[in-house]
Amino acid sequence: MSKPLSDHDRRKQISVRGLAGIENVAELKQNFNRHLHFTLVKDRNVATRRDYYFALAHTVRDHLIGRWIRTQQHYYEKDPKRVYYISLEFYMGRTLQNTMVNLALENACDEAMYQLGLDMEELEDMEEDAGLGNGGLGRLAACFLDSMASLGLAAYGYGIRYEFGIFNQKIVNGWQVEEADDWLRYGNPWEKARPEYMRPVHFYGRTEHHPDGVKWVDTQVVLALPYDTPVPGYRNNVVNTMRLWSAKAPCEFNLKDFNVGGYIQAVLDRNLAENISRVLYPNDNFFEGKELRLKQEYFVVSATLQDIIRRFKVSKFGSREIARTDFSKLPDKVAIQLNDTHPAMAIPELMRVLVDEEKLSWEKAWDICVRTCAYTNHTVLPEALERWPVDLFAHLLPRHLEIVFEINRRHLEVSTFPGDNDRLRRMSLIEEGGQKRINMAHLCIVGSHAVNGVAQIHSDILKATVFKDFYEMEPHKFQNKTNGITPRRWLVMCNPGLAEVIAERIGEDFIRDLDQLKGLRKYVNDEAFIRDVAKVKQENKLKFAMHLEQHYKVKINPNSMFDIQVKRIHEYKRQLLNCLHIITYYNRKYRLKILYPQFLQLSIGEVVNNDPVVGDRLKVIFLENYRVTLAEKGIPAADLSEQISTAGTEASGTGNMKFMLNGALTIGTMDGANVEMAEEAGEDNLFIFGMRVDDVDELDKRGYHAEEYYNRLPELKQAIDQIAGGFFSPKQPDLFKEIVNMLMHHDRFKVFADYEDYIKCQEKVNALYKNPKEWTKKVIFNIAGCGKFSSDRTIAQYAREIWGMEPTLEKLPAPDDKDAEMAF
């Protein structure tokens, strides 16, 4: 009888992970031992597992360095147009395995560790997630960096090196407790500090108007210290840079009045300046007008623009002499992409630099600014839009406020709607009323040559509603760029079994050209392929079940359907609709058989999971501390993906694409990218339910009355009564009263309106799941329809249609290619 393959044997089989040549393995072992000795100052007798991880990380990083330096040399010598992707979030996750995949080193490293008696997965598990993002927006930025490098674009990601990323989430007695994410505690082997490129950033002060221009004086200075992280492309020898800024107090910080007491206090006060890069704000889709946040936004923008202009002026590698002073060429050499409005200060800051420092006329500077900048919008929710109080601006950035006022004056003057005062008021950058505010989305639209939404339906909604006035004035600015995900991390790395099964049928080129997945359609009735796809899914479920048992102490049946909803908690994502289905399903199947309701515990999960009648047939689990690394484990194991936002509220979603690529079927509304997923895979191959955007609008006009649904649908009434009556919280019967009150009286997202259709759709899901072969056929149609959702396609569109750059699949020469070195 053959024994199952171990992970080690399995990885050795996988061709998409690179060949483990004997020389490769020997060299890796040698370098590993060298780093253990010289970098970590340890020997095998005292080294810990973390030491081994760091030794391996440095060994793999060595393979990046030559490519990294060469790539930057190549850019300096060829002087291509460069794109600067500015984002307050980069949700990178772990770096080691991704680097091994992109450099085709994984099998060789795996073999080397095996020969050294070490377990690769254990070492990978020592790496901290770089959690410098909240969710979709930050993870999108990370996928984009991977694609920009894989497409050979001269690209830079610019952001903040937060000392503390997204908090670690603990659930204690059913309540969330946040703990600081001290991700840099043990050091970060992937970053390189660059103190030689430190830049001053100014705050506060006042402006002086002189005949020769405006001066911003009496400012407080904070230094921006850059840390560079290499971003390797997929097997093309390109290594781009993500540069994250850290705040440092200058040496003379508050040391003017020198006495011992004052000196000690001044040194302690340095923390105030350095707080700028201390912590990531954990709000997503909600604007909170805090001074520290505005400081962060200006900090990253000011430091980045200084870098951009320095690099623009210096054209040849190794020379710091100023070679280029004609700023009219800036838009030919520089593209700046603003990831949402968080980096919107780039627009007034670029104007300040060009007008005040480089002495260009306003008209010339404005033309350059607009042609250089482009803006991506990520949400239509009004509470998420940034609207900064004018008073705060005046205090923190007085010169920028003057510039914004001037931009607004000229914008309203040239408006094509003179005399239409209502429209001009709506289009103003300054919102009048109680407290004057600056509308940052309006600033971005006016100061950019391109504005894009992130799925077709979202871009259409922007043009028809939120930005309608601007669209009517400048329709040429508005575009769509449907989001995508990198297939390197979200297939090859996290689901090697599926990647291999696909490669056996259509070859490996799909990894850099995901459209080739269409070739799987001809295998949709192929018995062997159906069997292979189902087998990989079952193996992934088994592995995830073991992970849950080990880390969450929950035992689940790997033969049951894994129905997963991955979303930040927000009303529009409608986790409550999912809860109502769970309760309804539980009531139908098991409620009548329950004999001892007094033993039921605090929440739905506790009630269901502890019901002896239910057994292992239904489990409800909330996985705490969701992050990129947990996604990489859970997504390949999912059978059903829940994408159930109210139509017209989710801009795009990218989790939906990750589930689809990894062989889950989608139950969802016609919202965000779900619409395009249905187009690509065939609507029959998704479980679509609920109101469309037009239906939601219609319901808004008629008026949404939750009690009508409550009175008409007995199962909904039963579920709501159970929640309200303390069935799921017997020790605190009133615990969920507020939720019930919201659902019944002020639910903006109309959960009850979609309840009936959702329950019916879930019945279809259950029926199909009982027919594994037909289920897997739909899975194959979905995987085959994923080509559009590669971030490579998204980035190629940004490059051609917004940045004026041409992607290339050509490889750079490898560092050890001596012939190529001569040809450089």
Side-chain angles (χ1 to χ4, degrees), residues 170-177 179 602 624:
K170 293 264 188 292
I171 303 297
V172 179
N173 298 325
W175 296 94
Q176 172 172 289
V177 176
E179 292 179 354
L602 188 63
E624 69 182 13

Side-chain angles (χ1 to χ4, degrees), residues 191-482:
E191 68 182 10
K192 174 71 181 80
R194 299 283 194 194
E196 67 274 25
Y197 292 118
M198 196 139 60
R199 298 280 167 250
V201 176
H202 297 261
F203 294 100
Y204 305 109
R206 59 192 174 80
T207 58
E208 289 179 351
H209 291 251
H210 299 278
D212 61 338
V214 182
K215 289 189 168 54
W216 182 17
V217 298
D218 297 339
T219 57
Q220 287 184 21
V221 174
V222 176
L223 298 176
L225 170 64
Y227 285 79
D228 288 357
T229 299
V231 179
Y234 182 71
R235 302 185 188 181
N236 63 354
N237 298 319
V238 170
V239 179
N240 283 341
T241 302
M242 175 177 69
R243 176 163 284 185
L244 302 181
W245 301 101
S246 182
K248 300 292 284 180
C251 290
E252 67 277 12
F253 187 78
N254 278 356
L255 294 182
K256 294 183 188 70
D257 37 327
F258 191 88
N259 62 63
V260 173
Y263 162 70
I264 297 291
Q265 193 53 49
V267 171
L268 298 180
D269 284 349
R270 290 169 62 87
N271 273 338
L272 300 174
E274 294 171 5
N275 277 340
I276 289 174
S277 57
R278 193 80 68 205
V279 61
L280 167 77
Y281 270 84
N283 285 337
D284 196 284
N285 273 311
F286 182 75
F287 172 64
E288 198 182 9
K290 294 277 195 283
E291 180 175 341
L292 179 61
R293 174 65 173 190
L294 184 56
K295 271 188 174 172
Q296 288 182 340
E297 293 183 357
Y298 179 66
F299 173 76
V300 67
V301 153
S302 169
T304 300
L305 275 168
Q306 291 177 67
D307 235 17
I308 290 172
I309 284 163
R310 171 188 60 78
R311 211 176 273 120
F312 169 74
K313 287 180 173 179
V314 178
S315 65
K316 269 290 188 197
F317 181 75
S319 157
R320 288 202 180 183
E321 288 174 32
I322 291 179
R324 195 189 273 128
T325 51
D326 179 3
F327 278 93
S328 67
K329 299 279 191 297
L330 189 76
D332 301 329
K333 290 294 176 186
V334 171
I336 295 173
Q337 191 68 38
L338 308 176
N339 194 25
D340 216 324
T341 56
H342 314 141
M345 290 304 300
I347 292 164
E349 173 66 1
L350 182 54
M351 287 300 290
R352 187 191 68 78
V353 171
L354 293 177
V355 173
D356 294 359
E357 294 180 5
E358 302 293 341
K359 305 299 181 191
L360 271 66
S361 71
W362 180 278
E363 292 73 17
K364 195 165 185 185
W366 183 245
D367 176 63
I368 290 165
C369 178
V370 171
R371 287 166 53 216
T372 303
C373 295
Y375 159 55
T376 301
N377 172 277
H378 284 278
T379 182
V380 294
L381 295 183
E383 66 267 32
L385 296 174
E386 292 195 298
R387 296 152 63 249
W388 289 104
V390 164
D391 294 348
L392 175 58
F393 236 86
H395 176 55
L396 190 67
L397 300 165
R399 177 58 182 141
H400 297 78
L401 182 61
E402 293 176 352
I403 291 169
V404 169
F405 280 158
E406 181 62 13
I407 292 170
N408 193 44
R409 185 184 71 77
R410 290 168 180 253
H411 153 62
L412 294 178
E413 249 177 30
V414 301
S415 159
T416 49
F417 310 105
D420 187 345
N421 288 335
D422 263 359
R423 193 190 285 253
L424 292 176
R425 180 182 47 73
R426 291 195 305 266
M427 292 179 75
S428 175
L429 274 52
I430 313 299
E431 296 179 356
E432 305 290 344
Q435 187 184 33
K436 276 192 180 180
R437 291 176 174 271
I438 300 173
N439 185 312
M440 302 305 271
H442 291 186
L443 174 62
C444 285
I445 296 167
V446 171
S448 298
H449 69 278
V451 177
N452 72 281
V454 289
Q456 190 61 59
I457 188 176
H458 169 231
S459 298
D460 291 343
I461 288 170
L462 290 179
K463 293 190 292 193
T465 59
V466 202
F467 301 148
K468 182 172 189 279
D469 294 319
F470 292 93
Y471 173 63
E472 289 175 355
M473 181 168 147
E474 298 184 290
H476 60 274
K477 278 191 180 184
F478 287 80
Q479 303 189 16
N480 173 59
K481 297 285 169 280
T482 299

Side-chain angles (χ1 to χ4, degrees), residues 85 140-141 143-145 147-148 151 153 337 376 378 452-455 479-488 514-515 652-654 657 673 676 786-803 805 807:
Y85 195 86
L140 183 81
C143 284
F144 279 3
L145 291 184
S147 286
M148 288 188 279
L151 292 172
L153 295 170
Q337 191 68 38
T376 301
H378 284 278
N452 72 281
V454 289
Q479 303 189 16
N480 173 59
K481 297 285 169 280
T482 299
N483 282 345
I485 58 174
T486 169
R488 273 72 64 180
L514 206 63
D515 266 334
S652 168
T654 46
M657 302 168 187
E676 290 159 76
C786 275
K788 179 177 184 175
F789 306 110
S790 169
S791 47
D792 297 347
R793 186 268 316 149
T794 314
I795 287 298
Q797 288 184 332
Y798 274 98
R800 293 185 176 117
E801 297 163 24
I802 295 180
W803 305 331
M805 299 167 75

Side-chain angles (χ1 to χ4, degrees), residues 583 587 591 710 713-723:
I583 295 169
N587 286 337
R591 175 74 187 98
Y710 171 82
L713 302 168
E715 288 184 307
L716 174 61
K717 182 178 190 304
Q718 181 188 10
I720 293 298
D721 290 350
Q722 284 171 312
I723 297 169

Side-chain angles (χ1 to χ4, degrees), residues 507-545:
E508 292 175 26
D509 287 350
F510 72 90
I511 298 167
R512 55 165 66 83
D513 177 13
L514 206 63
D515 266 334
Q516 293 188 20
L517 289 178
K518 286 190 177 86
L520 294 176
R521 284 179 187 150
K522 64 172 175 283
Y523 295 100
V524 82
N525 292 307
D526 181 305
E527 296 288 339
F529 188 57
I530 292 169
R531 201 165 48 245
D532 286 350
V533 169
K535 181 168 174 279
V536 166
K537 178 62 72 178
Q538 201 50 40
E539 286 171 359
N540 290 338
K541 289 172 72 173
L542 206 55
K543 195 170 177 185
F544 192 52

